[in-house]
């Protein structure tokens, strides 16, 4: 089955710097790759997603890139702010009878220092 | 509109007791998912509902776990004879329809089995 590896497990940056989190997946048929931000007491919120027919997607300071050949995708946060501090999870969706069975990475704890 | 809600937010129980966790999906969402997140780990898929039926129960850890959904809305996850290893945050998500569609997560129920 699908397996998602996420790196790094922790990431510490200075405010204003960029942060990059990388994920690899094993099932080449996976076709949907969301990123979730998890904050204490706020649950998990979708911040950006990308589908397999697109190589890059951007939303303000957040971007995701997908390399289907290498089976990896990355989250890029530019001009980081303290409120970006959270745990970020990537996920992949292998074909599973047509529905979204999200397979998650282990998470990256991002700390943005003022 | 209202997001996915879960109750209770926290549950402490004694080993061997049964617990019921509740999820109220976003109104009109036909698909509902349960995930489990152990401390410091990513989310594990448990079960998926399409309407009131559960085509994929493959993630349920044991026969002590069961779930049902009524009226294409509320779902309950029941854990019988709880064990300490059941301690985790249980997350519910819903999506508008099947296929590669965005899942919206609730805040989770933190279960602690003493």
């Amino acid at each position: 089955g699908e397996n998602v590896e996420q790196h790094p497990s922790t990431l510490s940056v200075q405010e204003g710097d960029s942060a990059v989190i990388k994920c690899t997946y094993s099932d080449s048929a996976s076709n949907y790759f969301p990123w979730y931000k998890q904050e204490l007491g706020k649950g998990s919120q979708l911040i950006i997603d990308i589908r397999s027919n697109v190589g890059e997607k951007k939303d303000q300071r957040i971007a995701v890139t997908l390399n289907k050949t290498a089976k990896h995708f990355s989250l890029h946060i530019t001009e980081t702010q303290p409120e970006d501090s959270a745990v970020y999870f990537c996920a992949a969706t292998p074909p599973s009878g047509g529905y979204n069975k999200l397979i998650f990475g282990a998470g990256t704890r991002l700390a943005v220092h003022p | 509109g209202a997001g996915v809600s879960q109750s209770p937010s926290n549950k402490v129980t004694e080993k061997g007791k049964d617990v019921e966790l509740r999820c109220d999906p976003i109104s009109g969402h036909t698909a509902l998912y349960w995930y489990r997140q152990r401390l410091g780990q990513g989310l594990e898929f448990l079960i998926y509902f399409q309407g009131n039926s559960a085509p994929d129960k493959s993630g349920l850890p044991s026969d002590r776990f069961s779930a049902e959904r009524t009226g294409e809305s509320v779902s309950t996850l029941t854990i019988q004879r709880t064990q300490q290893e059941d301690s985790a945050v249980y997350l519910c998500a819903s999506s508008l329809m099947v296929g590669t569609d965005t899942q919206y997560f609730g805040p989770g129920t933190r279960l602690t089995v003493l």
Side-chain angles (χ1 to χ4, degrees):
Chain A
E2 175 65 283
N3 182 53
V4 177
E5 300 281 342
Q6 183 170 347
H7 300 280
S9 56
T10 59
L11 180 58
S12 182
V13 300
Q14 289 296 124
E15 182 177 0
D17 288 351
S18 294
V20 180
I21 302 170
K22 298 181 179 180
C23 288
T24 60
Y25 59 99
S26 60
D27 190 337
S28 58
S30 286
N31 53 18
Y32 175 64
F33 307 91
W35 285 89
Y36 284 85
K37 178 182 181 182
Q38 192 175 69
E39 296 174 276
L40 200 60
K42 291 186 180 181
S44 301
Q45 298 173 302
L46 179 73
I47 55 171
I48 196 167
D49 56 14
I50 192 167
R51 302 186 192 279
S52 58
N53 58 347
V54 175
E56 183 175 1
K57 185 176 178 180
K58 197 171 183 179
D59 182 4
Q60 299 181 356
R61 297 186 297 108
I62 294 172
V64 57
T65 58
L66 171 64
N67 184 325
K68 286 189 292 183
T69 302
K71 290 188 285 187
H72 68 69
F73 56 112
S74 300
L75 178 71
H76 305 252
I77 306 174
T78 58
E79 301 169 26
T80 53
Q81 301 166 4
E83 51 265 38
D84 294 330
S85 297
V87 180
Y88 291 82
F89 290 94
C90 64
T93 306
S96 302
Y99 66 92
N100 262 9
K101 180 176 177 176
L102 294 176
I103 307 299
F104 284 85
T108 296
R109 182 172 297 278
L110 173 64
V112 180
H113 301 286
Chain B
V4 178
S5 61
Q6 291 185 246
S7 61
S9 56
N10 279 285
K11 177 71 177 178
V12 181
T13 190
E14 294 179 345
K15 178 182 172 181
K17 294 284 181 68
D18 297 351
V19 295
E20 269 193 8
L21 312 179
R22 176 186 169 112
C23 171
D24 283 88
I26 294 172
S27 178
H29 280 196
T30 61
L32 186 147
Y33 309 80
W34 282 98
Y35 295 86
R36 176 173 73 176
Q37 185 176 25
R38 289 195 165 118
L39 189 64
Q41 298 183 21
L43 286 73
E44 306 168 67
F45 170 83
L46 297 179
I47 188 170
Y48 149 78
F49 284 92
Q50 172 55 35
N52 295 339
S53 66
D56 188 345
K57 306 178 183 179
S58 63
L60 294 178
S62 74
D63 57 8
R64 296 185 296 104
F65 287 71
S66 63
E68 64 176 22
R69 187 180 185 195
T70 55
E72 290 201 355
S73 57
V74 173
S75 175
T76 55
L77 177 69
T78 302
I79 308 173
Q80 296 179 307
R81 305 181 301 282
T82 52
Q83 303 294 313
Q84 288 184 331
E85 60 263 29
D86 299 334
S87 296
V89 176
Y90 289 82
L91 292 147
C92 173
S94 70
S95 64
L96 184 60
M97 54 191 294
V98 297
T100 52
D101 205 359
T102 302
Q103 292 184 23
Y104 297 87
F105 280 81
T109 294
R110 181 176 297 278
L111 174 66
T112 303
V113 182
L114 301 176

